Amino acid sequence: MARNVPQSGFRRVLWERPADPALVRAAGSVAARESPRRWMGEHQVPDGVTLDRDFGAIPLGPGPAERAISPMAFHPRQSARFLVRATIPVGPSGEIPATLDGGAIYSDAEIRTTLTCGSSRPVGTEADVRTRLDTGVLAQNGLDGRGVAIAIVDVGISLARLSTRLGAPPLLDVDQSWSPPNIVSVPGRHRVGHGTMCAFDALVAAPKATLLDIPALAARSAGDHTAAGTIGAAIQAYWFLITRWVLDGRPAGLSSLVVSNSWGIYHPSLDFPAGHPGRYVDNPNHPFRSYVRTLTLAGIDVVFAGSNCGPECPSAPCLKRVTGAIMGANAYPEVLTLAACTVTGERLGYSAKGPPIAGMMTEKPDVTAYSHFLGSLSQSRFTADAGTSAACAVAAGCVAALRTVATPTPTSAAAMVQVLRETALRAGPTNERNEEFGFGILRPVEAGRSLGLIP
C-alpha cells in the first residue's frame, strides 16, 4: 500500500496470506505453544500494515463451503494459505477493503461471554438439574463422561474453586489445554468467573469427564480491559484442537472430545458492514467455519450457546435488537445450539428466539437445556448460573456422558445432534419444533435409549 494514501484510522482484521517459510515456522511455533514473534518479524507486508506478531499464523486449510475436508490441509507444511491478524489503514470513508495485497480480508469480530439479566432470583439448584436430567440413570449405565474430554472455550477455569464446590478436584488435562500467548496464568489457575461456571455446569451430567481449559476469550488487545475476545482467538484455539485431536490422533486415555462454547457476538455493529464478503455474523463462508467443520467431521461434538437477546429480557449489549439474534458460529448447521429454560421447564426471557440472522441456518436453536440455577457460585453465594451460557455447558456435559460409550465411529457429530433433537421433550406453544425451544428440552436418558446405550 502506498505511503501517500490518506488515512482516517486503522482496523484490526484477519488477513489471508500465501504460504512462505516464515509463516510455516510461525505456525509451528503456535502449535508448540511457543512465541511466533521471531518468525512473524520475517514476513513481509505492505507499508502501513502492522502484524500482530503474538497471534502468529494459522493454516487456513480448505474453504468452508468445500464438502470434503482433508485434515492434512491444516498442517503448516501442507497449507497453501494462512490467516494472520493485522492492523490495516482505512481511508477517509472508513470503508474496509475486501482484499489487500491479493489476500482476502475477514472480520475479527468482538465476541463476549453470554451474560444475562441479574435481577431474577435463581430457580432451583444443580441437584434439581441432576434430577431433571436423570443423571442417576446415566451413571447406572456407565454414562458418566469417563475418558471424554470437555474443552471449555471461555475465559479460563479455577480448579481450586471447582474443587471446593465439588469436594474433590475434577480431572483437568493441562497438556491438552491451550492459552493465548499473552496469558500469564496457567491452565486451571485462572480467575473465578464465567469459565469456572461453565466447567462446573458441564460436570453436572458428566462428573468423570476430563476438562480442557481453553481461555480463548481472555485474549485482549493491548489496553483493552473489557471481557471481549475475538474470532481470531477462537480460530487459534480451534486450530490447536485440530492439531491435537485430528492431525496427531486422539490423546492417550481420551476417546472423545466435546467443545463447549458459551459465547457469541451481541450485535451486528460489532462486525464489518453488511455486504462485506469478510463479515462474520451472517457469513457461512467465514474461515472460522472451516475449523468447526473439520472438528465435527472428525466426530468431535461442538456445542454453542444461542444468545441472550431474548425479547422479554435482552442483555444490555444486545442494544434492544432481539430478532435474528443468533449469529455467526452459533448458527452454523454443524453445531448444537442451545436455548435456556428453568428447571420447571419455563423458557427464560433472555433466551433468544429463532430464527437466526438471515443468511444462516434457519432451524436454530436446536434444543433447550436448564439454566438459572444455583450451582458453581462463581459470582456470589446467591447468583445463579445463568444465561444460554449455563444451558450450553449443561448440554455439553450431557453429550459427554453419552460419548462415554457412543464413540465417534458409530455415532457421528451430525447424528448426535439429530438424536438429541428427536428425543427432546417438546415444549412451548406447540407440540412441534418452535422458535422458543427448538425441538424441545434436552433428555439425555431418552437419547441414550435411542442410541442403544440404555436398556
Side-chain angles (χ1 to χ4, degrees):
M1 182 175 290
R3 295 180 184 274
N4 60 355
V5 173
Q7 300 175 11
S8 62
F10 296 87
R11 186 69 179 257
R12 187 182 66 183
V13 300
L14 296 174
W15 183 25
E16 182 180 318
R17 301 294 286 161
D20 70 8
L23 296 182
V24 171
R25 291 189 178 98
S29 296
V30 172
R33 294 182 288 195
E34 299 171 350
S35 174
R37 291 183 62 84
R38 172 189 173 188
W39 306 116
M40 293 304 292
E42 296 182 7
H43 181 64
Q44 300 299 311
V45 298
D47 291 338
V49 175
T50 302
L51 291 177
D52 181 343
R53 296 187 183 185
D54 289 321
F55 182 86
I58 309 297
L60 189 53
E66 296 179 32
R67 287 183 175 270
I69 287 184
S70 170
M72 290 307 297
F74 288 97
H75 193 286
R77 297 192 180 279
Q78 299 294 325
S79 182
R81 304 171 299 154
F82 289 80
L83 278 181
V84 300
R85 177 184 284 159
T87 301
I88 65 171
V90 295
S93 67
E95 183 176 352
I96 303 165
T99 62
L100 177 64
D101 195 32
I105 295 292
Y106 295 101
S107 170
D108 192 9
E110 183 179 88
I111 57 177
R112 300 187 182 187
T113 54
T114 48
L115 306 172
T116 186
C117 305
S119 57
S120 299
R121 293 181 178 179
V123 180
T125 69
E126 81 272 9
D128 297 303
V129 177
R130 291 191 182 95
T131 298
R132 299 297 186 210
L133 296 176
D134 284 334
T135 58
V137 175
L138 294 175
Q140 289 168 11
N141 288 274
L143 303 179
D144 56 9
R146 191 183 305 271
V148 180
I150 305 177
I152 304 295
V153 182
D154 211 272
V155 295
I157 297 169
S158 169
L159 193 61
R161 174 54 64 89
L162 290 177
S163 300
T164 299
R165 285 291 296 128
L166 297 170
L171 296 174
L172 173 71
D173 192 326
V174 173
D175 186 58
Q176 299 303 324
S177 298
W178 172 88
S179 294
N182 60 336
I183 300 299
V184 176
S185 51
V186 300
R189 296 187 179 182
H190 299 287
R191 292 181 179 178
V192 177
H194 192 271
T196 304
M197 178 195 81
C198 293
F200 180 92
D201 295 343
L203 295 174
V204 168
K208 301 298 184 182
T210 298
L211 297 173
L212 307 185
D213 194 357
I214 312 288
L217 275 68
R220 301 184 179 105
S221 302
D224 181 2
H225 300 291
T226 68
T230 65
I231 292 299
I235 286 175
Q236 286 182 304
Y238 270 62
W239 183 60
F240 173 81
L241 293 174
I242 289 171
T243 63
R244 294 302 180 95
W245 287 82
V246 182
L247 298 181
D248 296 343
R250 297 175 189 275
L254 295 172
S255 62
S256 300
L257 171 65
V258 181
V259 187
S260 180
N261 303 267
S262 293
W263 54 267
I265 188 168
Y266 275 96
H267 197 276
S269 64
L270 298 171
D271 200 358
F272 282 1
H276 192 288
R279 191 160 132 120
Y280 167 71
V281 291
D282 55 1
N283 180 10
N285 294 316
H286 190 281
F288 184 48
R289 189 178 172 202
S290 292
Y291 300 90
V292 174
R293 288 191 67 224
T294 298
L295 288 179
T296 57
L297 289 174
I300 293 166
D301 304 287
V302 180
V303 185
F304 264 87
S307 166
N308 285 345
C309 295
E312 294 86 356
C313 181
S315 295
C318 303
L319 302 179
K320 298 183 179 181
R321 183 183 183 275
V322 297
T323 59
I326 303 175
M327 299 179 278
N330 310 59
Y332 287 169
E334 295 84 5
V335 312
L336 179 72
T337 305
L338 272 299
C341 69
T342 68
V343 293
T344 63
E346 181 182 1
R347 177 185 152 269
L348 289 157
Y350 49 69
S351 181
K353 295 182 179 181
I357 194 169
M360 305 298 277
M361 183 180 180
T362 57
E363 288 191 341
K364 294 289 181 177
D366 291 295
V367 293
T368 300
Y370 300 112
S371 181
H372 216 85
F373 54 89
L374 277 179
S376 68
L377 310 184
S378 58
Q379 305 298 323
S380 77
R381 293 175 55 194
F382 309 104
T383 302
D385 288 4
T388 53
S389 286
C392 171
V394 167
C398 292
V399 175
L402 295 170
R403 284 296 185 197
T404 310
V405 177
T407 56
T409 301
T411 308
S412 68
M416 181 64 78
V417 171
Q418 187 60 29
V419 166
L420 294 173
R421 284 176 157 201
E422 291 173 352
T423 58
L425 176 65
R426 299 295 183 260
T430 69
N431 199 33
E432 300 176 348
R433 185 203 169 270
N434 57 72
E435 304 296 359
E436 296 184 356
F437 289 83
F439 284 83
I441 300 173
L442 201 63
R443 292 195 294 178
V445 169
E446 292 304 312
R449 290 195 174 106
S450 178
L451 291 167
L453 307 176
I454 298 175

